[in-house]
Amino acid sequence: MATPVLAPKPVHPTPMRNHGLLGISYVRQHMMVDDRWAANALIEEFHDMANLLTKRLIFKNLETNAYRKTLKKSARRLRIQCRDGRSLLQNVMNGDNIAAIRNVLINHKDMQRLYQKMNVFQVVDNINQRTFVMRKERDRLNHRLARLKDEYKRDLLERATIENRIKYQNEFILEEEFRMREFTKKIENSDVRLTAIRTINSTYKKIIQILRHDEIFYEPILRSLSRDIDDQASFIKHILYLGMPAIAKFNQLSEEFRQMDEKSRKSTQFKLSVIMGFKRTSLKRFSNLAKLPKENVVVNISKRYTRETKSMLKLKEQLEEIEIIIKKIKVATLCSRATEIFPRIKVQMEHNIKLMKRNEIGTISNEFLIFKNKVAEEQESVLLHNYFEEEEDRINRIRFLEEAITVEDRKEATIIRHMKHRTDTFVVLRYTLWNLLDILRYVDKPSRIVPLQYPNTYLKLPLLKFDMLIMRASAPPAFEQNTKAMLSMVERKLTILMSAYKYLLGRQNIQMTPTQMRAFWRTYHEGFLEIQNVTDEKEAMRDKNNLEDGQEIFEDAKLLQTVPNRKQIKAQSARIVEELSKKED
């Protein structure tokens, strides 16, 4: 048996660092020695090795000298930079810097002394830090000024619009204005459509540009697709070439199966017809026995006083028939004539089922008849006494609602009477509470400050806020309508006021006795009554003066009525002229 030929092993090149000839590290530390070399070869080898080491030593010395020179040059350059930087720093600190800062801050002596030992950039940073708050406040004020200017412009435009409407416009809108609005709306819609059309056109142009740019990639794709289509066509032809014989064989087998199925069906029908013929001949024997005429039960009712009823006689006849059938069955069984047993029992089972159904139907009809009788009796009693449960519930509900309405009417009358008696009292109470609230308006009143809105959070600074300098006149709060709330507010404010009053009295060491309190109260009451009397007298005098002025006006009106007008003067002059003319005649 021949041995199998093995594949050669893969050959990998030796790395450069491990090469015996080209590896520098091996050359430094080792020498290549061979026992077969001669003395001259060894001498030459050692001589070459010594030359190599000498050259390497020279190279290392040159490399060291070059590195030292590089370090010296970099050190010299760094020293020069340090010296120049030191001189520049000295010039900045003590040279022209002081003069420059003094010239810049010529009008600020304190700032000259402050910044004389600083650099220019340090001075700039310090000034920026010191003026940060003021610059922020300036930005806030500029923003507020711009906002107020905008509001002022809007107000001026609104004012001009209102003045134009007052001067040139009527309350009815002209037809031209309607048309102008329609045309304006159409123009706006056209602008929107034009913008959309331009956008769509630009999009389509971009798509076309991209398609034209990418058409170089479509040709190979289409070629590959056409090749795929050709491959698919050839593959379909191949499948058809292979499948046509199979289809022909399938058709042949289908035809054979149809013929065999037809033959089996015909044979099955023939066998079934033969079996049915045998069955008909066997059933003809028992057809005569099954078609015997039924005998009518004749009941003899000539005897009127017999104890037997019709149903009992029918049952008796049926019992006799059953006994005869049982005897025949016994005879047939004993005589080995069992052919009559099965048909008779089969017919009897059907009769029994029908009888059971008839009995169930009779029971159901009897129960339904009993139920109808009960319902009829109840309906008769209802019609006789005119009694319905719904009618009674309705009557009870009506009576309950009438009682509830009566109670509510009484409550309403009581409330109305109570309100009529106490309307004036409530009016006086509410008026008094309003006066007290107006008097105590500033007691425990929270301060309302409307915050300003800034565009950013950097302008919200804790310093230099001028919000408190803005004076705004705001409407007073509306009067409270709830009497209970007014009472609670008055009570709370009076409590605060009296507690403050007691605190002040305690601090001033003023002791008030009850007699002093009553004396003060009496004095205040008398002064209040005097003020009221004076006020009433002033009002009476004012009414009297008004009445006198009215009488004077009435008298003046009477005097004016006696003065003739222009027509009366003309009529009087015409009458006087006529009288004079008559006298002359």
Side-chain angles (χ1 to χ4, degrees):
M1 185 176 181
T3 58
V5 179
L6 298 175
K9 294 181 180 180
V11 180
H12 299 286
T14 305
M16 184 65 70
R17 63 179 180 274
N18 299 327
H19 201 276
L21 181 60
L22 303 175
I24 299 173
S25 60
Y26 283 88
V27 173
R28 290 179 187 173
Q29 300 177 7
H30 303 283
M31 291 185 299
M32 298 175 64
V33 179
D34 194 354
D35 296 336
R36 294 175 294 177
W37 285 0
N40 293 328
L42 291 173
I43 291 168
E44 187 178 357
E45 176 70 19
F46 282 115
H47 186 268
D48 293 338
M49 192 66 192
N51 291 333
L52 179 62
L53 292 174
T54 304
K55 291 178 181 179
R56 181 178 178 279
L57 184 61
I58 293 168
F59 177 76
K60 290 295 291 181
N61 292 331
L62 292 173
E63 187 178 6
T64 304
N65 293 330
Y67 182 66
R68 189 181 294 111
K69 289 179 181 179
T70 304
L71 290 177
K72 287 180 180 179
K73 189 182 293 184
S74 62
R76 190 183 302 109
R77 181 171 52 80
L78 291 174
R79 288 194 196 96
I80 292 169
Q81 288 180 359
C82 290
R83 186 172 63 253
D84 295 340
R86 189 181 297 109
S87 61
L88 180 63
L89 181 62
Q90 291 295 329
N91 290 329
V92 170
M93 294 294 293
N94 301 319
D96 298 335
N97 186 34
I98 298 173
I101 291 173
R102 186 180 294 110
N103 293 330
V104 172
L105 303 174
I106 191 69
N107 296 324
H108 303 279
K109 298 296 182 182
D110 53 348
M111 296 178 72
Q112 287 180 1
R113 290 192 297 271
L114 180 64
Y115 298 132
Q116 64 181 352
K117 292 184 179 181
M118 291 186 183
N119 297 328
V120 177
F121 63 90
Q122 292 178 352
V123 173
V124 173
D125 291 340
N126 198 335
I127 291 172
N128 286 334
Q129 290 177 3
R130 290 182 64 186
T131 59
F132 176 77
V133 176
M134 290 189 288
R135 285 187 288 110
K136 289 296 181 182
E137 189 63 29
R138 185 191 62 187
D139 294 339
R140 288 175 59 195
L141 294 175
N142 288 332
H143 168 69
R144 186 175 165 195
L145 178 62
R147 183 167 55 80
L148 292 174
K149 285 182 179 179
D150 294 337
E151 291 179 358
Y152 181 64
K153 287 180 181 178
R154 286 197 297 270
D155 294 339
L156 288 177
L157 289 174
E158 290 179 0
R159 178 188 172 189
T161 305
I162 293 169
E163 288 179 354
N164 291 334
R165 285 185 177 276
I166 291 170
K167 289 180 181 179
Y168 305 111
Q169 291 187 3
N170 197 1
E171 59 181 353
F172 300 103
I173 300 173
L174 299 176
E175 186 178 358
E176 290 80 2
E177 190 172 356
F178 280 115
R179 291 183 180 178
M180 182 185 68
R181 291 177 183 175
E182 291 177 359
F183 291 152
T184 306
K185 192 67 176 177
K186 288 180 180 179
I187 290 169
E188 291 176 357
N189 295 335
S190 300
D191 291 336
V192 173
R193 293 193 193 97
L194 183 61
T195 306
I197 290 167
R198 286 176 179 172
T199 306
I200 293 168
N201 289 336
S202 62
T203 305
Y204 279 124
K205 287 180 182 178
K206 189 68 176 177
I207 292 169
I208 292 168
Q209 183 181 359
I210 292 169
L211 291 174
R212 288 178 178 175
H213 180 265
D214 295 343
E215 64 183 357
I216 57 175
F217 302 104
Y218 297 152
E219 186 175 359
I221 294 170
L222 294 174
R223 287 180 181 176
S224 62
L225 290 174
S226 64
R227 288 197 210 96
D228 293 338
I229 292 169
D230 296 336
D231 294 339
Q232 291 291 333
S234 61
F235 185 67
I236 291 168
K237 289 179 182 179
H238 180 67
I239 291 171
L240 291 174
Y241 176 74
L242 295 176
M244 289 301 291
I247 293 169
K249 187 67 176 176
F250 176 75
N251 293 331
Q252 183 182 358
L253 293 174
S254 299
E255 185 65 24
E256 291 178 358
F257 175 74
R258 189 181 61 77
Q259 292 176 1
M260 293 174 67
D261 189 15
E262 186 70 22
K263 290 179 182 180
S264 64
R265 186 170 57 79
K266 288 181 179 180
S267 63
T268 305
Q269 288 180 356
F270 177 72
K271 290 178 181 178
L272 287 173
S273 62
V274 172
I275 291 168
M276 292 300 293
F278 284 120
K279 189 174 182 180
R280 290 193 193 94
T281 55
S282 62
L283 290 174
K284 285 180 181 179
R285 298 177 183 178
F286 306 101
S287 61
N288 295 325
L289 295 174
K291 294 181 180 180
L292 289 174
K294 294 183 180 180
E295 295 180 359
N296 295 325
V297 179
V298 179
V299 180
N300 188 7
I301 57 173
S302 60
K303 297 179 181 181
R304 297 179 61 184
Y305 298 102
T306 57
R307 297 175 63 87
E308 296 176 353
T309 59
K310 292 182 180 181
S311 60
M312 291 174 68
L313 291 173
K314 289 180 181 179
L315 289 173
K316 188 176 180 181
E317 292 292 335
Q318 290 178 3
L319 182 60
E320 290 176 356
E321 290 179 359
I322 290 167
E323 288 178 354
I324 292 168
I325 290 168
I326 290 170
K327 287 179 182 180
K328 289 181 180 180
I329 290 170
K330 288 181 180 179
V331 172
T333 306
L334 293 173
C335 298
S336 299
R337 292 166 58 189
T339 56
E340 297 181 359
I341 296 172
F342 177 73
R344 192 177 295 276
I345 291 174
K346 185 177 180 181
V347 174
Q348 189 63 35
M349 288 174 66
E350 293 178 358
H351 287 309
N352 291 337
I353 291 169
K354 291 180 181 179
L355 182 62
M356 290 170 66
K357 288 182 179 180
R358 199 178 297 114
N359 291 333
E360 289 177 358
I361 292 169
T363 305
I364 292 169
S365 61
N366 191 13
E367 291 177 355
F368 184 67
L369 183 61
I370 293 168
F371 175 73
K372 287 174 70 176
N373 290 330
K374 289 182 180 179
V375 171
E377 290 176 359
E378 291 179 358
Q379 292 290 335
E380 185 180 1
S381 64
V382 168
L383 294 173
L384 183 62
H385 299 288
N386 194 13
Y387 172 77
F388 291 98
E389 188 176 357
E390 292 83 0
E391 184 69 21
E392 185 179 4
D393 293 339
R394 189 175 65 82
I395 293 169
N396 293 332
R397 181 66 176 169
I398 290 169
R399 186 170 62 256
F400 175 74
L401 291 175
E402 288 177 352
E403 292 176 357
I405 290 168
T406 305
V407 172
E408 292 295 331
D409 291 339
R410 291 175 184 172
K411 287 183 180 179
E412 185 179 0
T414 305
I415 292 168
I416 291 171
R417 187 168 58 254
H418 182 77
M419 290 175 66
K420 285 181 179 179
H421 288 308
R422 288 166 177 78
T423 302
D424 299 335
T425 307
F426 275 108
V427 171
V428 172
L429 178 61
R430 182 169 292 182
Y431 183 73
T432 307
L433 289 174
W434 279 342
N435 287 333
L436 289 173
L437 282 176
D438 194 14
I439 293 168
L440 302 172
R441 180 187 301 170
Y442 297 102
V443 176
D444 193 21
K445 180 183 178 183
S447 60
R448 295 190 302 171
I449 298 174
V450 181
L452 292 177
Q453 298 293 332
Y454 296 104
N456 51 29
T457 57
Y458 295 105
L459 298 180
K460 293 182 180 179
L461 299 174
L463 300 175
L464 298 176
K465 283 193 174 181
F466 299 102
D467 298 344
M468 299 300 294
L469 301 178
I470 302 170
M471 302 299 293
R472 290 188 176 86
S474 59
F479 282 109
E480 183 67 34
Q481 298 294 331
N482 192 358
T483 308
K484 189 174 181 180
M486 286 193 290
L487 280 171
S488 62
M489 290 171 65
V490 169
E491 184 179 1
R492 180 173 56 81
K493 291 190 176 186
L494 285 174
T495 304
I496 294 169
L497 187 62
M498 294 307 295
S499 62
Y501 179 68
K502 289 179 181 178
Y503 176 71
L504 292 174
L505 289 178
R507 288 188 63 183
Q508 295 177 4
N509 295 323
I510 298 174
Q511 300 294 331
M512 297 291 292
T513 60
T515 55
Q516 291 177 349
M517 292 291 290
R518 283 195 293 273
F520 287 151
W521 180 83
R522 193 180 302 107
T523 304
Y524 173 77
H525 192 62
E526 290 175 356
F528 180 75
L529 291 177
E530 288 178 0
I531 292 169
Q532 289 294 113
N533 293 329
V534 171
T535 305
D536 294 339
E537 290 176 358
K538 288 182 179 180
E539 289 180 355
M541 290 295 292
R542 186 167 57 252
D543 294 338
K544 186 176 180 181
N545 294 330
N546 292 333
L547 183 60
E548 291 177 356
D549 294 338
Q551 290 179 357
E552 291 177 358
I553 292 168
F554 182 70
E555 291 176 357
D556 294 338
K558 285 183 177 180
L559 292 173
L560 290 173
Q561 287 179 359
T562 58
V563 176
N565 55 11
R566 187 175 181 183
K567 290 183 179 180
Q568 292 175 357
I569 291 170
K570 286 183 178 180
Q572 289 178 4
S573 61
R575 189 170 58 254
I576 292 168
V577 170
E578 287 178 359
E579 290 177 357
L580 291 174
S581 63
K582 287 179 180 179
K583 287 179 181 180
E584 289 177 358
D585 294 338

